[in-house]
């Protein structure tokens, strides 16, 4: 039994869990539906390139600031921060390019130089952004103090309530004459997700104040946020357990006592229950109140008022993201590494609901350069534009990676439009693109479980702020909330919600204890590992091709796995990489690992001697055989062959067909491995070879029978995308894929 269970591993959940572990020594279990921890702080990779999903920059992270001290405490000092290049934000309009300076006075001076007739109004604006941001901070303080003190705080808030809860649009129109100046001052509305006519002034003011002194990003990428906090949680006997879909909160005699979970780590999903006297939900207020708690008994009656309030607020916007890999550094096309906010015109209140984005004619784009900020080798960037989830409902019931040809065409049209808009500021971008990946609101909802794929939780409208903070406490004893819905959105708001939740759990001395811990020096952490993680050792390695190695680990106590599943190796401190399992024999687990990227995983397999200790987490993943009796065609390039080998061996069906593609015969793994293979067509693009076809695997797919056939695709992201497109055009219905 655990001291507390946290549902969801977003920054709000990890903060609450980390503080309970670090400050109170509690044993906390964090349950995450996705196979990657971190919520919107996690990242994903394709062919060695990495992109961030939700964290693009964070303000107020200089040494000694409150937010930095919390991150230092939670990560035990292991999380380093890179400052973004100057300017950290750049607002781009037709005929106007405004680089945002660092510092309040510098910002005021640059705006005043452009709009000298409005200098006094500009100064009053920044005075009032500070006042409105303080108002929202007081809302947060309400969630920390004993309940009898909350009315006193609300009394202080009355002085600026009208300012804070007005709309951003009303404040702009009341203060300024220049439409151009109004547009500039509203440019960062994407950081809270609502355009000026819908957003509360306090939300926008908080964003403005948050970034006045610059911006930072985690060194090594945003995924290290979760991984460093995870170490602290494990040190106290807790765990961050992934592939755990919480389906319900257990309630006995009106009190939350545990959770019901579908464990998707095992070869077959199984239902489990975990018990604890404290349950903290980072799954969002709507999910918690309508999906996880009973809605037809005494608990439903107790939560009815809060549930109606939450549902009455509606949902915030969602977004489409285009993830690009470039063949050159971004500075080749004039990008300094700071963020770009690109707008077709000065009207921020049109565009989200008019489907212009879906037509390939986006009105706005936020461009962020992942690799420059994190220090990663591959050159990556994201282009983000906000949209409504309703535009994608037509494809909501279709499976991930196989939503249909029309969905693929829509994503391509959206990507083309956003790339074209970005090229108005970065000419020549298109010629340097070597990979494109597109996510939509359906992607966000699949991985993060937020209804409608909302990025910022409950919308930051005046109505939400007027209703007061939801806070971490709920009408159900033992159940607390954390995350963006508690007070306000963003990583800072989510982190402070985690502080509030942990404080409430620990009682009257909770917050003072947490504050006292902020001054503590980092402590040595134990090497304790939770269920599912193993201390392994390198058994042997073997180089198969110039860029592919075989790695065999000795993993005591390893259990069964489903063919197609993968393992996660800690290839450097708090840096993990996923590798498909080729085979398990006794305690030996075998992998095929590409060293083409030259990253941490490449160095591990190419330089590590037998006997070296490594940590491995397994098994994970749902890319497995369906078990149907249909004919199977397997398509692989490179180490994409790894998960297919055990699938083919498990059934040994004479109807199976393998298509394997590579550039040269020296890379032909099918000639180098002893694993049994079905009928195999080798496709080599770079040279003529005996017994092989000259060309790509997609050319073979164009002539295969697709009816009653399952296609399993694994390999380079480009191959998977091209092969999927070929099969969908031909009407294939059963396509299972996993790009790497």
């Amino acid at each position: 039994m655990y001291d507390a269970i946290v549902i969801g591993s977003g920054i709000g959940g990890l903060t609450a869990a980390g503080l309970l572990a670090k400050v109170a020594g509690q044993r906390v279990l964090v349950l995450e539906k996705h196979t990657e921890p971190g919520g919107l702080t996690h990242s994903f990779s394709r062919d060695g390139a990495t992109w961030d999903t939700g964290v693009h920059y964070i303000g107020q992270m200089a040494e000694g600031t409150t937010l930095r001290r919390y991150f230092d405490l939670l990560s035990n000092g292991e999380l380093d921060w890179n400052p973004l290049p100057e300017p950290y934000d750049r607002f781009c309009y037709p005929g106007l390019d405004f680089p945002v300076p660092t510092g309040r006075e510098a910002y005021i001076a640059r705006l005043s130089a452009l709009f000298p007739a409005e200098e006094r109004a500009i100064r009053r604006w920044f005075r009032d952004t500070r006042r409105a941001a303080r108002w929202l901070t007081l809302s947060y303080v309400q969630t920390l103090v004993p309940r009898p003190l909350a009315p006193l705080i609300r009394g202080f808030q009355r002085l600026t309530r009208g300012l804070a809860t007005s709309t951003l649009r009303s404040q702009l129109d009341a203060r300024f004459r220049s439409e151009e100046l109004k547009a500039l001052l509203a440019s960062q509305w994407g950081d809270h997700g609502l355009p000026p006519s819908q957003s509360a002034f306090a939300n926008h003011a908080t964003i403005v104040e948050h970034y006045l002194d610059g911006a930072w990003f985690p060194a090594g990428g945003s995924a290290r946020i979760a991984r460093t906090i995870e170490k602290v949680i494990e040190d106290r006997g807790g765990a961050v357990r992934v592939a755990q879909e919480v389906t319900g909160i257990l309630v006995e005699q009106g009190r939350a006592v545990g959770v019901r979970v579908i464990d998707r780590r095992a070869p077959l999903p199984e239902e489990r229950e975990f018990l604890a006297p404290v349950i903290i939900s980072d799954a969002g207020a709507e999910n918690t109140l309508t999906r996880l708690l009973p809605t037809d008994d005494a608990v439903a009656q107790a939560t009815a008022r809060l549930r109606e309030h939450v549902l009455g607020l509606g949902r915030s916007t969602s977004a489409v993201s285009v993830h690009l890999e470039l063949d050159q550094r971004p500075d080749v096309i004039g990008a300094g590494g700071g963020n770009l906010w690109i707008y077709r015109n000065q009207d921020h209140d049109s565009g989200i609901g008019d489907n212009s984005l879906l037509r390939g004619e986006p009105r706005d784009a936020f461009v962020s350069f992942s690799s420059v900020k994190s220090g990663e080798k591959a050159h990556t960037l994201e282009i983000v534009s906000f949209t409504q989830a309703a535009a994608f409902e037509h494809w909501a019931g279709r499976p991930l990676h196989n939503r249909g040809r029309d969905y693929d065409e829509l994503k391509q049209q959206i990507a083309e439009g956003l790339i074209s808009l970005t090229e108005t500021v970065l000419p020549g971008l298109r010629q340097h693109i070597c990979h494109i990946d597109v996510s939509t609101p359906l992607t966000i909802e699949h991985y993060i479980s937020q209804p409608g794929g909302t990025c910022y939780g409950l919308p930051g409208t005046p109505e939400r702020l007027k209703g007061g903070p939801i806070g971490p406490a709920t009408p159900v004893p033992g159940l607390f909330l954390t995350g963006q819905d508690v007070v306000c959105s963003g990583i800072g708001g989510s982190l402070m919600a985690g502080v509030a939740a942990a404080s409430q759990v620990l009682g009257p001395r909770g917050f003072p204890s947490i504050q006292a811990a902020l001054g503590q020096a980092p402590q040595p952490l134990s090497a304790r590992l939770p269920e599912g993680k193993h201390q392994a050792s390198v058994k042997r390695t073997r180089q198969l091709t110039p860029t592919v190695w075989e790695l065999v680990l000795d993993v005591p106590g390893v259990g069964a796995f489903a063919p197609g599943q993968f393992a996660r190796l800690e290839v450097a401190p708090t840096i993990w990489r996923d590798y498909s399992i080729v085979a398990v024999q006794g305690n030996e687990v075998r992998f095929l690992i590409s060293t083409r990227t030259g990253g941490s995983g490449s160095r591990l397999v190419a330089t590590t001697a037998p006997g070296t200790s490594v940590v491995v987490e397994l098994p994970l993943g749902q890319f497995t055989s369906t078990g149907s009796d249909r004919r199977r065609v397997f398509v692989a390039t490179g180490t994409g062959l790894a998960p297919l080998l055990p699938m083919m061996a498990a059934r040994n069906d004479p109807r199976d067909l393998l298509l394997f593609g590579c550039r040269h015969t020296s890379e032909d793994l099918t000639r180098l491995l002893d694993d049994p293979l079905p009928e195999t067509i080798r496709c080599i693009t770079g040279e003529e070879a005996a017994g092989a076809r000259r060309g790509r695997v997609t050319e073979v797919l164009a002539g295969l029978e697709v009816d009653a056939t399952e296609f399993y695709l694994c390999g380079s992201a480009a191959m998977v995308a091209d092969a999927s497109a070929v099969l969908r055009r031909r009407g294939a219905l059963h396509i299972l894929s996993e790009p790497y």
Side-chain angles (χ1 to χ4, degrees):
M1 186 168 179
Y2 293 89
D3 296 307
I5 294 172
V6 177
I7 305 170
S9 67
I11 190 61
L14 289 173
T15 297
L19 291 176
L20 291 176
K22 185 82 171 181
V23 176
Q26 292 194 2
R27 186 169 180 251
V28 185
L29 175 64
V30 181
L31 298 169
E32 169 59 48
K33 172 188 171 184
H34 190 17
T35 55
E36 290 282 349
L40 283 172
T41 72
H42 88 272
S43 60
F44 73 97
S45 298
R46 296 284 186 268
D47 295 343
T50 301
W51 294 268
D52 302 286
T53 57
V55 178
H56 297 106
Y57 62 152
I58 305 175
Q60 298 176 325
M61 288 298 297
E63 291 278 358
T65 60
T66 299
L67 206 55
R68 177 63 176 270
R69 293 171 71 205
Y70 273 117
F71 273 114
D72 287 347
L73 175 67
L74 289 163
S75 69
N76 201 46
E78 289 192 28
L79 190 58
D80 297 322
W81 296 86
N82 294 332
L84 260 66
E86 296 284 352
Y88 63 88
D89 266 346
R90 183 176 150 202
F91 306 149
C92 306
Y93 296 83
L96 177 64
D97 193 319
F98 185 84
V100 178
T102 298
R104 184 183 303 273
E105 288 303 318
Y107 204 160
I108 291 172
R110 184 165 293 178
L111 286 170
S112 299
L114 283 175
F115 306 96
E118 307 215 47
E119 180 177 359
R120 290 184 61 189
I122 291 169
R123 289 196 171 275
R124 287 196 298 269
W125 170 267
F126 282 94
R127 177 201 65 191
D128 286 342
T129 58
R130 180 184 292 172
R131 294 171 65 208
R134 286 175 177 169
W135 185 93
L136 197 55
T137 299
L138 287 175
S139 292
Y140 162 71
V141 173
Q142 284 185 54
T143 68
L144 293 172
V145 300
R147 188 167 296 178
L149 294 180
L152 180 62
I153 294 173
R154 288 195 291 270
F156 284 116
Q157 286 183 297
R158 289 194 189 100
L159 299 173
T160 50
R161 187 174 189 270
L163 172 71
T165 61
S166 61
T167 65
L168 171 58
R169 169 57 59 199
S170 68
Q171 289 296 321
L172 290 168
D173 289 342
R175 295 162 183 269
F176 305 107
R177 294 185 297 274
S178 168
E179 294 300 323
E180 196 169 56
L181 176 56
K182 293 178 189 178
L184 277 180
L185 293 172
S187 296
Q188 289 169 297
W189 68 264
D191 280 335
H192 53 79
L194 289 180
S197 63
Q198 300 176 40
S199 59
F201 179 61
N203 275 349
H204 191 79
T206 299
I207 291 297
V208 172
E209 294 291 316
H210 182 69
Y211 290 112
L212 277 179
D213 292 322
W216 287 258
F217 194 78
S222 62
R224 294 198 68 240
I225 294 175
R227 288 305 186 180
T228 53
I229 299 175
E230 178 183 41
K231 293 281 190 182
V232 172
I233 295 168
E234 291 178 348
D235 180 62
R236 300 299 193 271
V240 178
R241 190 167 172 83
V242 298
Q244 308 292 298
E245 182 180 359
V246 177
T247 58
I249 296 171
L250 304 175
V251 179
E252 292 182 1
Q253 298 179 346
R255 181 179 184 86
V257 297
V259 295
R260 185 170 53 255
V261 174
I262 298 178
D263 184 347
R264 300 190 186 278
R265 297 171 61 108
L268 294 175
E270 61 179 281
E271 189 168 276
R272 302 180 64 178
E273 290 185 354
F274 296 100
L275 302 178
V278 170
I279 310 298
I280 302 174
S281 178
D282 191 27
E286 181 180 341
N287 273 337
T288 304
L289 296 167
T290 65
R291 298 183 182 182
L292 300 182
L293 282 174
T295 57
D296 57 357
D297 61 4
V299 173
Q301 295 177 20
T303 58
R305 184 176 178 182
L306 177 59
R307 184 170 61 254
E308 290 168 5
H309 171 62
V310 167
L311 294 177
L313 292 173
R315 296 172 181 170
S316 188
T317 52
S318 188
V320 168
S321 296
V322 177
H323 308 277
L324 303 180
E325 182 183 1
L326 307 182
D327 61 9
Q328 297 286 334
R329 287 176 52 86
D331 55 15
V332 170
I333 53 174
N339 305 312
L340 304 176
W341 298 85
I342 305 173
Y343 297 99
R344 287 196 187 275
N345 57 52
Q346 298 169 10
D347 183 5
H348 292 295
D349 284 308
S350 64
I352 287 185
D354 68 358
N355 289 336
S356 58
L357 175 66
L358 278 64
R359 296 195 303 270
E361 302 169 353
R363 297 173 183 266
D364 53 68
F366 170 78
V367 186
S368 179
F369 301 88
S370 305
S371 57
V372 176
K373 296 179 297 184
S374 66
E376 298 270 348
K377 285 185 177 181
H379 310 303
T380 56
L381 62 90
E382 300 99 33
I383 310 173
V384 182
S385 191
F386 288 94
T387 187
Q388 298 291 349
F392 297 85
E393 286 180 352
H394 174 70
W395 298 276
R398 301 184 188 179
L400 184 71
H401 300 316
N402 192 19
R403 298 191 192 274
R405 179 180 174 183
D406 51 350
Y407 181 72
D408 293 341
E409 291 173 347
L410 174 65
K411 291 201 299 181
Q412 182 177 356
Q413 184 164 282
I414 291 171
E416 287 294 318
L418 285 170
I419 291 168
S420 295
L421 178 57
T422 303
E423 279 204 306
T424 63
V425 176
L426 298 177
L429 167 65
R430 193 181 300 272
Q431 71 188 59
H432 291 290
I433 296 172
C434 53
H435 176 70
I436 302 175
D437 198 292
V438 182
S439 67
T440 73
L442 298 178
T443 316
I444 299 172
E445 184 166 9
H446 174 84
Y447 287 111
I448 310 300
S449 295
Q450 285 300 311
T454 57
C455 305
Y456 292 110
L458 294 175
T461 58
E463 290 71 28
R464 177 181 174 186
L465 268 58
K466 288 175 184 177
I470 289 176
T474 75
V476 181
L479 175 63
F480 300 84
L481 300 176
T482 186
Q484 298 190 99
D485 294 344
V486 168
V487 177
C488 65
S489 61
I491 191 167
S494 296
L495 183 143
M496 298 311 292
V499 175
S503 298
Q504 292 279 359
V505 170
L506 296 177
R509 296 194 57 79
F511 184 64
S513 299
I514 292 171
Q515 289 296 102
L518 290 177
Q520 295 177 358
Q523 301 294 318
L525 299 180
S526 68
R528 186 184 308 189
L529 295 176
E531 177 188 356
K533 288 186 178 179
H534 304 265
Q535 193 70 55
S537 62
V538 175
K539 186 85 170 183
R540 59 183 179 274
T541 61
R542 177 170 64 123
Q543 187 171 11
L544 298 172
T545 79
T547 58
V548 175
W549 288 64
E550 184 180 65
L551 169 68
V552 178
L553 297 181
D554 183 14
V555 187
V558 65
F561 83 109
Q565 287 191 295
F566 66 89
R568 184 166 288 146
L569 272 64
E570 188 175 25
V571 297
T574 70
I575 298 176
W576 296 74
R577 293 291 182 265
D578 298 343
Y579 299 107
S580 294
I581 301 170
V582 175
V584 175
Q585 293 181 322
N587 287 343
E588 291 189 0
V589 184
R590 178 169 155 240
F591 306 93
L592 297 178
I593 296 180
S594 170
T595 58
R596 182 181 58 82
T597 64
S600 299
S602 302
R603 291 191 294 273
L604 173 75
V605 69
T607 63
T608 300
T612 302
S613 181
V614 295
V615 177
V616 60
E617 182 176 13
L618 79 169
L620 296 165
Q622 299 297 305
F623 181 59
T624 58
S625 180
T626 65
S628 78
D629 192 44
R630 288 184 284 264
R631 179 187 182 229
R632 302 183 302 177
V633 174
F634 299 91
V635 186
T637 55
T639 54
L641 183 62
L644 307 184
L645 288 170
M647 288 191 205
M648 294 183 288
R651 196 163 100 180
N652 192 24
D653 191 327
R655 298 175 300 165
D656 286 349
L657 174 67
L658 170 64
L659 308 182
F660 182 79
C662 57
R663 288 168 295 182
H664 303 286
T665 54
S666 62
E667 301 169 339
D668 186 357
L669 291 173
T670 65
R671 301 286 193 184
L672 299 169
L673 297 171
D674 296 329
D675 301 76
L677 298 176
E679 178 187 353
T680 300
I681 299 176
R682 298 168 177 85
C683 301
I684 298 179
T685 57
E687 60 185 333
E688 298 286 348
R693 294 180 56 135
R694 180 73 182 269
R696 304 180 66 203
V697 293
T698 49
E699 297 167 8
V700 179
L701 285 176
L704 290 182
E705 176 64 47
V706 298
D707 291 342
T709 300
E710 289 182 346
F711 293 89
Y712 293 81
L713 316 177
C714 189
S716 72
M719 182 280 288
V720 170
D722 291 347
S724 297
V726 168
L727 291 171
R728 289 191 189 108
R729 284 197 298 269
R730 301 195 58 229
L733 299 177
H734 310 288
I735 307 171
L736 297 94
S737 64
E738 185 156 82
Y740 69 84

